[in-house]
């Protein structure tokens, strides 16, 4: 696992962690300066949600990943419901990727714009994405990038974008409503057919989906030979070359999935 904060003086709002049977990656989102809405902040939400999820997926094997994610969302929301305006559109939220190995199967879940890639032995990788946020965000990108970060117009656009969250016809993320977990992209496959898997925050998946520096088979090759830090190094170089603001970048690379752990 490797994570890199967006810049000096910033707080990393990504989280990743693993136990012998599972890996979790959380990419937190929120508007800087929203302390009046939530005194804890995005990093707190991402870490809290990731920790709760790791505990649940490591101990509970007879419930689906959406059910466990819903429970984790409800628990974390309850943790700050009395002190923060959890329903406000700019209160902290997060995208989620989960991988779980049990009974010879690998279960996976993606909610929001994190990415999960399954390295299928002798076949093309299976790339698991949730395109809804990307599609909606794309329509706002040029306007947001043309405004001054932190300006009233910048915040207005972000609020308008976030009004599409957890709404029919919009996109779905982990926030205050556990029912969002029902909208996650999920699947399962035999562990024996996988050479590995990788979970990436959207700050790391930029190597493919924004900068086109590699395709997913090439990413898996680099991970196997040089590890996650090399992927993030290449992303940082591309961000500097194209004058694109850096984002927190996190990768969890999982191998030996066929080994029994229960």
């Amino acid at each position: 696992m490797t994570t890199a904060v967006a810049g000096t003086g910033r707080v990393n709002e990504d989280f990743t962690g693993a136990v012998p049977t599972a890996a979790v990656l959380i990419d937190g989102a929120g508007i800087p300066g929203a302390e009046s809405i939530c005194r804890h902040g995005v990093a707190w939400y991402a870490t809290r949600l990731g920790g709760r999820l790791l505990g649940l997926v490591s101990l509970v094997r007879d419930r689906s990943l959406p059910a466990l994610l819903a429970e984790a969302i409800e628990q974390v929301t309850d943790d700050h419901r009395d002190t923060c305006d959890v329903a406000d559109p700019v209160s902290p939220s997060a995208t989620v990727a989960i991988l779980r190995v049990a009974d010879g199967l690998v279960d996976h879940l993606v909610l929001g714009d994190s990415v999960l890639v399954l390295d299928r032995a002798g076949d093309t990788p299976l790339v698991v994405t949730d395109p809804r946020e990307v599609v909606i965000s794309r329509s706002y990108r040029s306007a947001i990038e043309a405004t001054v970060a932190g300006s009233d117009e910048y915040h207005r656009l972000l609020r308008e974008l976030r009004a599409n969250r957890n709404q029919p016809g919009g996109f779905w993320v982990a926030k205050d409503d556990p029912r969002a977990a029902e909208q996650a992209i999920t699947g399962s496959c035999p562990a024996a057919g996988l050479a590995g898997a990788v979970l990436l925050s959207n700050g790391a998946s930029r190597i493919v989906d924004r900068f086109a520096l590699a395709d997913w088979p090439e990413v898996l090759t680099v991970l196997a030979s040089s590890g996650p830090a090399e992927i993030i190094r290449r992303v940082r170089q591309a961000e500097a070359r194209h004058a694109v603001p850096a984002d927190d970048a996190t990768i969890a690379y999982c191998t030996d999935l066929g080994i029994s752990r229960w």
Side-chain angles (χ1 to χ4, degrees):
M1 296 179 290
T2 299
T3 186
V5 69
T8 304
R10 300 277 297 274
V11 175
N12 194 332
E13 295 173 345
D14 287 355
F15 168 93
T16 192
V19 292
T21 56
V24 168
L25 187 145
I26 307 293
D27 185 350
I31 296 178
E35 290 81 5
S36 61
I37 303 300
C38 175
R39 70 182 192 184
H40 300 97
V42 176
W44 175 91
Y45 183 84
T47 301
R48 198 83 160 194
L49 182 65
R52 292 294 175 88
L53 268 174
L54 272 180
L56 288 169
V57 298
S58 65
L59 295 174
V60 182
R61 63 183 301 184
D62 59 350
R63 294 177 65 195
S64 69
L65 293 183
L68 297 178
L69 174 57
E71 182 173 342
I73 292 171
E74 186 169 17
Q75 289 178 1
V76 177
T77 301
D78 287 343
D79 286 344
H80 70 141
R81 189 187 303 276
D82 294 336
T83 59
C84 309
D85 187 355
V86 297
D88 190 283
V90 301
S91 67
S93 63
T95 70
V96 181
I98 310 172
L99 188 81
R100 177 176 65 180
V101 183
D103 299 324
L105 294 175
V106 172
D107 302 322
H108 59 267
L109 176 151
V110 171
L111 182 68
D113 61 2
S114 292
V115 178
L116 189 150
V117 182
L118 300 175
D119 186 3
R120 299 184 292 185
D123 201 350
T124 56
L126 175 62
V127 182
V128 184
T129 62
D130 182 350
R132 290 167 291 189
E133 181 173 1
V134 173
V135 170
I136 292 174
S137 296
R138 189 177 293 132
S139 64
Y140 287 87
R141 179 181 293 175
S142 59
I144 290 174
E145 291 180 347
T147 61
V148 177
S151 67
D152 290 344
E153 178 65 8
Y154 178 82
H155 289 305
R156 186 193 69 78
L157 287 168
L158 288 181
R159 283 180 177 273
E160 188 176 312
L161 170 60
R162 284 176 169 82
N164 292 282
R165 287 188 308 188
N166 295 358
Q167 298 290 333
F171 60 91
W172 301 84
V173 293
K175 190 176 175 288
D176 62 300
D177 187 350
R179 291 174 296 182
E182 300 170 5
Q183 303 294 326
I185 308 299
T186 62
S188 184
C189 61
L194 298 178
V198 57
L199 293 69
L200 307 95
S201 67
N202 69 344
S205 68
R206 287 178 166 188
I207 190 169
V208 173
D209 54 38
R210 182 155 191 180
F211 298 123
L213 299 176
D215 59 17
W216 289 114
E218 290 170 325
V219 168
L220 291 169
T221 298
V222 173
L223 286 169
S225 63
S226 303
E230 175 61 18
I231 298 295
I232 295 177
R233 185 188 71 82
R234 296 184 187 187
V235 168
R236 291 291 185 251
Q237 287 182 334
E239 290 167 342
R241 188 163 57 248
H242 296 283
V244 172
D247 190 11
D248 299 332
T250 302
I251 299 174
Y253 178 49
C254 310
T255 58
D256 299 325
L257 299 178
I259 297 175
S260 176
R261 292 169 172 83
W262 285 106

